[in-house]
């Protein structure tokens, strides 16, 4: 049973705790666990993790020929000895050498020892206090490297650097051996990881839940022919951070059928059965003992499902089919879904995440409840946050478990589900909101489809039933979870109209008594939704009869039935939040307006944030030191509002000189990386307007004389693939303009690029970007921004000051009218826009045919044309804004002041602030410090 599998998981916590004694050359850091009766309730315990320092050296190191003498000793000795211990007794590599990869693993395992003490103590306290916890479900967690972050949070960076120096290695070189965990792709996953960091740092009781992808998305290689994708290798030699919980596994079912038992209950039987096994990764907080879990699910089948007979008969592929089918669920992040098999695999991934996580959460609730399980208290102990629509199946899965397995009735289960689940929306584009084929879902998850079919329609009818039927029909169309689907018979009856006879010579039609005198009436189409059809007048009908022309009806086009996942999220949860102020307003006023009118109390905003630990403190030590010096405290790492103190020093020449010096140092740090990586890839977020802007700048430079080029002091670094080779190898341009591409742009690369950047571009058509978090990271590091009034740009500009942000482009409220202007053929393109398009067509960048790209920016209508994102409209403003950037950059005093004020104004965009808001407004959880 699932409950039994996990029941004893926490029994050992605190029972056999020992101290870990770390020694460096100058100090000894001793982490140990003690128990005290600290809480008022006698059966509750508080755990104190003490950190003591002594001037003592244990286990001196001897080195011979560049290799350490790895002698036998206990694991709880000094940091140096602990690393040596893991190199010998927790081997992943052969014993002969102590080279960088082995040094990384041994160091990480040594760090994990200290985390385990805090980790176990954290969940022991949560177990005993039985407080409400938040569970963050996401298909992505873009963690980045963990070593420097972990030792930084433990405040042991210096001690580990010293220990590795004793062993002949440099900490940064050792840390560089760690591959980025391939568990995410972009902003969605990085946001989830920042949230986990803040949850731990702020001492909130929480878990993260995701999938343990074997290969992640893909590893990118840039060749002369373009992009080539190969599998990620991040798990090839294992991960030193994860702990497999072989005693924590849950059954997952696909396919099969639903039948009614003799007791009248519905049973999901047959089909394909697999199991999800838990792998836990520790997430340490900063300057706190709290260490929470990221629990990742890996999929497999029991040994009994291996067809031994088939294997022995030589049918090896057949014998392994079940295992292969189970394992492939966790192979790839976002597998291609052009094929039916790809769609099935994606849906299996989403259901595995939801089902395994909920079974785990429910198992924990039951264990803590003991003999007195009160399901109505479940929402008082559990808060489930769905990061985007990928975990939507939490809603029908929780309903299924409560009704089918825990014997609750529909109303009880629905009340619990709505009070437990909440949804974060990440897109304002209706066409981008996730939809699934009804037939595919019915085949894969038949019981869940039954539950989904019963949701919402009757609530809409009860709310809007007093309206005329046309209005009710409109609400059902926009708000229904099931698209192009027959209405339930009880609702469809509302749309049955009385028949009236027009004339003996005309056909019988249906009308509704509220229809006004016109040639339009309402009839029912096949899926039960009304549609307007023309009613011919008697004279026209007679004229048709006279013609005696046979009319062949066109075959009806039956649209596919879909399940609208976002609508299900809104209906099934108690809270819906956007991720930036402008985005949340669009969610309320446009994307889910009918839902907002029905349930205004559900909708709120939670502007995204990023962790200041990783994105300033650890990735940019020189800047961190300056901030600490001028604010007079290191408290800004936890209380980012103290960054605002920099505002009063923005004109100080000493601060400006220090600021420019640290920027130069970070650029120098980037140089070896650029040469080593032969940087070549455009960041994903780059848009066509930036692309054309680079070409325009290049063309204008080509038209300059040599003397004129020398007057341009601004080196422009932009990222674009198709024009890079031409620009970078043009001897006339030289170093005035370079296009740089970074293959495999990830968290570790960002940690180098962001601190070194002067100008960051966050370009999207206003109203199209939900938030964007990379712009926050750039602002924190004193990078000035050029962008549209979209997503978080709006709030960043408010905080850093309008004069310290380069703004261009149309605003969100103008977009609809501008698209209509284009459709009406009234758009007049700027001559510079036309100039760039012709330059591209002139084969200035090689023989590649760019007609499709340029064609998408032309015409007034049709799919793939008419410049939907308004590049032509925003382009002139972008070019003029770049000229303002050049002007500002020439005045280094002004530029440095702008940079300082961007860092000072970034205080709002800490994920700590965001998590405090989630905890208070959505999850209703309280912080508990592990003393």
């Amino acid at each position: 049973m699932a409950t039994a599998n996990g029941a004893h998981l926490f029994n050992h916590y605190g029972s056999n705790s020992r101290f870990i004694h770390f020694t460096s050359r100058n100090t000894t850091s001793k982490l140990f666990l003690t128990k005290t009766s600290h809480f008022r309730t006698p059966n509750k315990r508080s755990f104190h993790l003490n950190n003591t320092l002594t001037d003592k050296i244990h286990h001196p190191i001897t080195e011979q020929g560049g290799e350490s003498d790895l002698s036998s000793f206990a694991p709880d000795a000094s940091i140096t000895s602990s690393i040596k211990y893991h190199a010998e007794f927790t081997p992943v590599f052969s014993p002969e050498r102590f080279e960088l990869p082995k040094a990384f693993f041994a160091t990480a395992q040594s760090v994990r020892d200290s985390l385990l003490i805090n980790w176990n103590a954290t969940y022991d306290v949560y177990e005993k206090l039985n407080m409400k916890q938040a569970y963050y479900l996401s298909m992505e967690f873009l963690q980045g490297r963990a070593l420097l972050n972990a030792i930084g949070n433990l405040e042991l960076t210096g001690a580990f650097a010293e220990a590795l120096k004793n062993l002949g290695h440099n900490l940064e070189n050792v840390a560089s051996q760690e591959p980025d965990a391939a568990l995410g792709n972009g902003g969605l996953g990085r946001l989830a990881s920042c949230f986990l960091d803040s949850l731990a740092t702020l001492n909130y009781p929480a878990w993260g839940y995701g999938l343990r992808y074997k290969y992640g998305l893909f590893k990118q290689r840039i060749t002369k022919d373009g992009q080539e994708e190969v599998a990620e290798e991040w798990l090839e030699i294992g991960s030193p951070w994860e702990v497999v919980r072989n005693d924590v596994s849950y059954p997952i079912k696909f396919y099969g059928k639903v039948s009614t038992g003799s007791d009248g209950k519905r049973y999901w039987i047959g089909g394909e059965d697999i199991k999800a096994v838990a792998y836990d990764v520790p997430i340490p907080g900063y300057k706190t003992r709290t260490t929470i879990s990221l629990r990742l699910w890996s999929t497999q089948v029991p040994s009994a499902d291996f067809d031994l007979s088939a294997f022995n008969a030589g049918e090896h592929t057949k014998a392994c089919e079940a295992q292969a089918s189970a394992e492939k669920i966790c192979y790839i992040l976002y597998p291609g879904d052009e094929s039916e098999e790809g769609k099935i695999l994606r849906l299996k991934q989403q259901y595995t995440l939801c089902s395994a996580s909920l079974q785990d959460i429910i198992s924990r609730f039951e264990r803590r409840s003991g003999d007195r399980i009160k399901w109505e208290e479940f929402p008082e102990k559990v808060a489930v946050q769905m990061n985007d629509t990928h975990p939507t199946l939490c809603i029908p899965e929780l309903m299924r478990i409560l009704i089918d397995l825990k014997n609750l009735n529909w109303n009880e289960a629905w009340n619990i589900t709505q009070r437990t689940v909440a949804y974060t929306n990440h897109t304002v584009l209706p066409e981008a909101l996730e939809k699934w084929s009804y037939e595919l879902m019915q085949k894969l998850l038949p019981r869940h489809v039954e539950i989904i079919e019963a949701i919402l329609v009757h609530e809409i009818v009860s709310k809007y039933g007093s309206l005329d039927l046309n209005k009710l029909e409109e609400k059902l169309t926009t708000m229904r979870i099931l698209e192009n689907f027959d209405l339930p018979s009880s609702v469809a009856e509302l749309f049955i109209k009385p028949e009236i006879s027009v004339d003996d010579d005309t056909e019988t039609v249906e009308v509704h008594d509220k229809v006004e005198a016109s040639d339009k009436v309402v009839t029912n189409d096949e899926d039960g939704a009304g549609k307007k059809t023309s009613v011919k007048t008697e004279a026209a009908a007679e004229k048709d009869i006279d013609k005696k022309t046979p009319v062949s009806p066109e075959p009806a086009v039956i649209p596919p039935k879909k399940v609208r996942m976002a609508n299900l999220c809104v209906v099934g949860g108690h809270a819906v939040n956007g991720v930036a102020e402008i985005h949340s307003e669009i969610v309320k006023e446009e994307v889910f307006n009918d839902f907002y009118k029905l349930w205004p109390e559900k909708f709120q905003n939670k502007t995204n944030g990023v962790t200041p630990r990783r994105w300033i403190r650890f990735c940019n030590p020189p800047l961190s030191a300056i901030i600490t010096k001028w604010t007079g405290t290191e408290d800004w790492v936890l209380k980012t509002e103290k960054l605002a103190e920099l505002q009063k020093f923005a004109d100080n020449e000493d601060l400006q000189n220090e600021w420019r010096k640290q920027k130069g140092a970070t650029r120098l740090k980037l140089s070896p990386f650029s040469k080593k990586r032969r940087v070549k890839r455009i960041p994903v977020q780059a848009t066509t307007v930036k692309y054309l802007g680079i070409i325009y700048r290049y063309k204008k430079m080509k038209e300059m004389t040599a003397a004129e080029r020398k007057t341009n002091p601004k080196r422009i670094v932009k990222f674009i693939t198709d024009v890079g080779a031409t620009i970078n190898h043009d001897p006339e341009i030289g170093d005035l303009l370079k296009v740089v591409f970074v293959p495999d742009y990830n968290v570790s690369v960002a940690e180098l690029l962001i601190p070194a950047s002067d100008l960051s571009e966050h370009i999207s058509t206003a109203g199209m970007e939900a938030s964007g978090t990379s712009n926050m990271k750039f602002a924190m590091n004193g990078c000035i921004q050029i962008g549209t009034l979209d997503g978080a740009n709006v709030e960043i500009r408010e905080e850093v000051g309008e004069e310290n942000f380069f703004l261009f482009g149309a605003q969100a409220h103008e977009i609809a009218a501008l698209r209509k202007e284009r459709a009406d053929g009234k758009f007049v393109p700027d001559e510079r826009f036309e100039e760039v398009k012709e330059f591209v067509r002139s084969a200035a960048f090689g023989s590649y045919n760019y007609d499709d790209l340029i064609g998408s920016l032309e015409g007034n209508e049709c799919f793939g044309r008419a410049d939907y994102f308004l590049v032509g409209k925003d382009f002139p403003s972008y070019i003029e804004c770049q000229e303002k950037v050049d002007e500002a950059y020439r005045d280094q005093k002004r530029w440095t002041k702008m940079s300082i004020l961007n860092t000072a104004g970034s205080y709002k965009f800490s994920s700590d602030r965001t998590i405090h808001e989630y905890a208070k407004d959505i999850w209703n959880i309280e912080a508990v410090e592990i003393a």
Side-chain angles (χ1 to χ4, degrees):
M1 295 291 292
T3 303
N5 283 344
H8 66 281
L9 179 61
F10 299 90
N11 291 347
H12 69 286
Y13 286 170
S15 60
N16 294 306
S17 301
R18 58 175 174 78
F19 67 82
I20 292 178
H21 192 165
F22 283 155
T23 306
S24 68
R25 178 171 298 174
N26 300 314
T27 62
T28 299
S29 177
K30 187 184 299 181
L31 294 175
F32 59 91
L33 185 66
T34 60
K35 303 177 186 177
T36 63
S37 179
H38 189 67
F39 294 96
R40 293 181 181 177
T41 307
N43 62 347
K44 294 179 179 178
R45 291 178 293 170
S46 173
F47 295 87
H48 293 264
L49 284 167
N50 299 328
N51 189 346
T52 63
L53 300 176
T54 63
D55 294 321
K56 193 173 182 181
I57 300 176
H58 291 272
H59 299 286
I61 307 304
T62 59
E63 298 182 1
Q64 298 176 356
E67 298 178 10
S68 299
D69 177 14
L70 300 175
S71 55
S72 179
F73 46 82
D76 55 351
S78 66
I79 291 181
T80 304
S81 298
S82 178
I83 294 172
K84 290 174 64 180
Y85 170 85
H86 283 292
E88 183 164 349
F89 294 106
T90 317
V92 181
F93 300 87
S94 58
E96 291 82 11
R97 302 179 185 87
F98 189 64
E99 296 177 340
L100 280 173
K102 187 173 184 177
F104 160 67
F105 261 80
T107 303
Q109 287 158 340
S110 176
V111 175
R112 196 183 71 177
D113 283 346
S114 63
L115 294 181
L116 280 168
I117 295 289
N118 293 352
W119 200 7
N120 290 348
T122 298
Y123 283 104
D124 189 66
V125 170
Y126 295 169
E127 186 80 2
K128 299 302 184 294
L129 295 182
N130 191 20
M131 75 277 288
K132 186 175 185 179
Q133 296 189 48
Y135 299 92
Y136 198 83
L137 272 64
S138 178
M139 287 293 284
E140 295 188 44
F141 287 92
L142 196 58
Q143 292 290 95
R145 290 170 176 162
L147 179 58
L148 292 180
N149 189 74
I151 63 175
N153 281 352
L154 289 170
E155 299 181 272
L156 291 171
T157 302
F160 271 91
E162 182 72 13
L164 285 167
K165 183 179 179 182
N166 292 339
L167 293 167
H169 287 298
N170 173 275
L171 174 59
E172 285 195 7
N173 292 339
V174 169
S176 70
Q177 298 301 301
E178 180 176 5
D180 280 40
L183 299 172
N185 176 44
L188 187 78
R190 187 54 234 169
L191 176 73
S193 295
C194 283
F195 280 3
L196 292 187
D197 177 274
S198 287
L199 283 164
T201 296
L202 301 175
N203 301 301
Y204 282 117
W207 294 69
Y209 280 104
L211 294 181
R212 181 179 179 264
Y213 303 109
K214 185 175 182 179
Y215 299 118
L217 189 66
F218 58 80
K219 188 172 183 176
Q220 182 192 49
R221 291 177 180 167
I222 303 297
T223 69
K224 60 181 179 62
D225 299 318
Q227 176 174 291
E228 178 184 335
E229 299 91 25
V230 296
E232 284 273 7
E233 75 278 12
W234 80 282
L235 278 178
E236 274 192 2
I237 55 176
S239 168
W241 304 109
E242 64 183 17
V243 177
V244 59
R245 309 291 192 189
N246 287 313
D247 58 338
V248 182
S249 65
Y250 299 96
I252 310 292
K253 181 184 287 295
F254 304 111
Y255 303 108
K257 64 179 181 179
V258 182
S259 62
T260 303
S262 58
D263 55 0
K265 291 178 58 178
R266 301 291 281 165
Y267 290 90
W268 184 14
I269 58 176
E272 174 187 331
D273 295 303
I274 67 167
K275 68 176 181 178
V277 179
Y279 284 73
D280 287 354
V281 177
I283 308 295
Y286 178 71
K287 288 191 175 183
T288 176
R289 308 296 183 232
T290 301
T291 301
I292 64 174
S293 288
L294 168 58
R295 176 156 284 181
L296 304 171
W297 300 108
S298 184
T299 45
Q300 56 186 248
V301 294
S303 300
D305 288 355
F306 179 76
D307 193 339
L308 187 59
S309 298
F311 193 86
N312 286 334
E315 299 177 350
H316 302 152
T317 301
K318 178 183 176 183
C320 300
E321 279 179 354
Q323 183 65 32
S325 179
E327 287 181 350
K328 72 180 180 182
I329 292 173
C330 291
Y331 272 176
I332 300 293
L333 169 65
Y334 303 141
D337 61 355
E338 293 80 11
S339 66
E340 184 77 359
E341 283 300 313
K343 291 181 174 66
I344 290 173
L345 187 57
R346 278 207 187 189
L347 193 55
K348 279 186 172 182
Q349 286 184 333
Q350 294 187 5
Y351 179 62
T352 297
L353 170 64
C354 295
S355 182
S357 302
L358 282 173
Q359 289 184 70
D360 195 43
I361 293 166
I362 289 171
S363 172
R364 190 172 299 114
F365 172 76
E366 291 179 320
R367 182 181 64 248
R368 292 177 179 177
S369 298
D371 297 331
R372 52 168 299 279
I373 298 176
K374 294 184 178 180
W375 287 105
E376 66 272 17
E377 295 178 356
F378 187 78
E380 297 170 15
K381 299 296 183 183
V382 171
V384 174
Q385 189 70 35
M386 301 181 296
N387 190 29
D388 210 356
T389 53
H390 307 128
T392 303
L393 289 169
C394 281
I395 294 167
E397 175 67 357
L398 184 53
M399 290 289 290
R400 181 190 72 84
I401 293 173
L402 294 175
I403 294 171
D404 295 359
L405 304 182
K406 307 304 176 183
N407 301 314
L408 275 66
N409 64 42
W410 175 276
N411 289 337
E412 291 170 334
W414 184 240
N415 177 268
I416 290 169
T417 299
Q418 281 194 309
R419 290 167 56 207
T420 300
V421 176
Y423 162 53
T424 298
N425 172 272
H426 285 277
T427 181
V428 299
L429 300 176
E431 63 270 25
L433 295 172
E434 195 174 22
K435 296 181 182 181
W436 280 103
S437 161
Y438 170 83
E439 292 181 358
L440 185 150
M441 187 176 288
Q442 188 178 48
K443 178 170 65 174
L444 193 69
L445 303 169
R447 179 60 177 135
H448 298 76
V449 168
E450 285 188 346
I451 293 169
I452 291 170
E453 287 175 353
I455 296 175
L456 181 65
V457 169
H458 291 286
E459 292 196 45
I460 298 176
V461 173
S462 65
K463 174 73 174 179
Y464 296 109
S466 60
L467 302 175
D468 65 78
L469 293 188
N470 285 351
K471 197 68 173 177
L472 176 59
E473 175 194 0
E474 178 186 321
K475 297 295 182 184
L476 286 170
T477 299
T478 58
M479 299 175 71
R480 287 178 63 187
I481 296 167
L482 297 173
E483 183 175 273
N484 304 319
F485 198 82
D486 291 339
L487 291 169
S489 58
S490 59
V491 179
E493 289 173 0
L494 296 173
F495 294 94
I496 296 177
K497 287 73 174 188
E499 294 185 358
I500 64 170
S501 178
V502 179
D503 193 277
D504 290 341
D505 296 327
T506 60
E507 61 179 344
T508 298
V509 299
E510 295 176 343
V511 300
H512 185 265
D513 57 6
K514 291 191 179 181
V515 175
E516 298 178 2
S518 70
D519 64 345
K520 301 288 184 183
V521 298
V522 177
T523 64
N524 270 354
D525 61 15
E526 291 186 33
D527 67 0
K531 63 180 181 182
K532 293 187 177 181
T533 58
S534 296
V535 181
K536 291 187 176 296
T537 62
E538 182 176 347
E542 289 177 353
K543 186 175 181 181
D544 284 346
I545 293 172
D546 289 341
K547 289 182 178 179
K548 296 181 180 180
T549 303
V551 178
S552 300
E554 295 183 2
V557 177
I558 302 176
K561 297 176 181 178
K562 299 281 187 181
V563 182
R564 296 170 167 179
M565 305 302 271
N567 284 16
L568 179 54
C569 287
V570 175
V571 174
H574 66 89
V576 179
N577 71 277
V579 290
E581 287 180 1
I582 185 174
H583 167 231
S584 295
E585 287 305 307
I586 294 172
V587 164
K588 291 190 295 185
E589 300 302 323
E590 298 179 24
V591 182
F592 296 122
N593 183 249
D594 286 312
F595 291 106
Y596 173 62
K597 290 176 181 176
L598 182 59
W599 298 302
E601 70 282 356
K602 282 191 180 186
F603 290 81
Q604 50 186 278
N605 174 60
K606 293 288 170 282
T607 296
N608 282 341
V610 299
T611 167
R613 270 76 64 185
R614 183 179 287 268
W615 293 110
I616 309 181
R617 180 69 178 85
F618 301 147
C619 79
N620 200 344
L623 179 61
S624 298
I626 291 174
I627 294 172
T628 298
K629 173 183 174 181
W630 287 86
T631 61
T633 178
E634 266 201 348
D635 291 351
W636 61 269
V637 182
L638 288 170
K639 299 176 180 178
T640 52
E641 62 271 17
K642 292 186 178 296
L643 290 174
E645 291 288 311
L646 292 170
Q647 292 172 352
K648 58 189 178 186
F649 304 114
D651 289 310
N652 187 290
E653 289 189 9
D654 291 336
L655 173 57
Q656 289 194 0
N657 289 334
E658 291 178 26
W659 202 270
R660 283 192 290 270
K661 185 178 179 180
Q662 67 84 18
K663 271 290 182 183
T666 53
R667 286 195 203 95
L668 288 175
K669 185 178 178 181
L670 184 63
S671 296
F673 164 82
S674 301
K675 295 174 182 176
K676 175 183 175 184
R677 296 289 290 267
R678 297 172 61 188
V679 228
K680 291 182 180 176
R681 183 174 75 106
I682 187 169
V684 176
Q685 293 172 328
T687 59
T688 307
V689 68
K690 182 190 293 188
Y691 164 79
L692 295 179
I694 291 174
I695 294 172
Y696 182 80
R697 181 65 63 98
Y698 171 62
K699 182 176 183 293
K700 289 305 175 186
M701 285 183 177
K702 287 286 287 181
E703 293 170 356
M704 294 178 185
T705 65
E708 288 171 330
R709 289 189 197 110
K710 288 181 181 178
T711 65
N712 189 342
K714 175 70 176 169
R715 168 178 287 205
I716 304 168
V717 180
K718 304 201 183 289
F719 301 91
I720 189 167
T721 52
D722 296 326
V723 299
T726 301
I727 295 175
N728 292 343
H729 293 90
D730 192 320
E732 293 183 87
I733 301 303
D735 286 341
L736 290 177
L737 181 67
K738 289 294 180 185
V739 181
V740 183
F741 301 100
V742 181
D744 292 321
Y745 183 79
N746 56 24
V747 175
S748 297
V749 174
E751 288 170 339
L752 287 171
L753 289 177
I754 289 174
S757 299
D758 286 314
L759 178 73
S760 63
E761 307 200 355
H762 298 276
I763 301 171
S764 56
T765 308
M768 306 292 277
E769 172 72 59
S771 175
T773 51
S774 63
N775 46 1
M776 301 172 185
K777 300 164 193 170
F778 280 102
M780 283 182 172
N781 284 272
C783 194
I784 303 167
Q785 297 183 66
I786 177 173
T788 55
L789 275 182
D790 196 29
N793 284 358
V794 177
E795 293 163 77
I796 289 175
R797 183 169 176 261
E798 289 173 355
E799 298 299 331
V800 305
E802 295 180 6
E803 68 280 8
N804 302 307
F805 185 105
F806 295 103
L807 177 67
F808 76 95
Q811 297 187 35
H813 68 273
E814 301 173 316
I815 301 302
L818 290 171
R819 288 197 177 120
K820 185 178 186 303
E821 177 188 73
R822 186 64 180 251
D824 294 341
K826 297 178 180 178
F827 172 68
V828 179
D830 186 272
E831 62 181 17
R832 291 167 292 183
F833 184 60
E834 296 299 292
E835 184 180 351
V836 171
K837 289 193 298 181
E838 289 307 310
F839 191 52
V840 173
R841 284 188 168 122
S842 71
F845 303 103
S847 59
Y848 184 83
N849 189 328
Y850 291 101
D851 286 348
D852 287 344
L853 172 65
I854 300 303
S856 70
L857 304 175
E858 299 176 331
N860 298 320
E861 56 185 354
C862 296
F863 178 76
R865 295 181 65 83
D867 192 10
Y868 180 77
F869 293 101
L870 304 177
V871 173
K873 181 67 179 180
D874 283 351
F875 181 74
S877 175
Y878 174 78
I879 293 300
E880 291 157 8
C881 198
Q882 284 286 9
E883 292 171 356
K884 294 177 182 177
V885 171
D886 289 347
E887 179 184 353
Y889 192 78
R890 292 187 186 101
D891 184 348
Q892 278 293 291
K893 184 176 177 63
R894 175 191 171 193
W895 185 273
T896 305
K897 179 180 179 180
M898 293 172 71
S899 176
I900 294 169
L901 291 173
N902 265 263
T903 297
S906 68
Y907 63 90
K908 173 182 176 179
F909 304 103
S910 166
S911 51
D912 294 352
R913 186 264 315 152
T914 313
I915 286 301
H916 275 312
E917 292 177 5
Y918 271 101
K920 176 178 177 289
D921 301 334
I922 296 179
W923 302 332
N924 192 28
I925 60 174
E926 299 289 339
V928 177
E929 187 171 355
I930 312 301

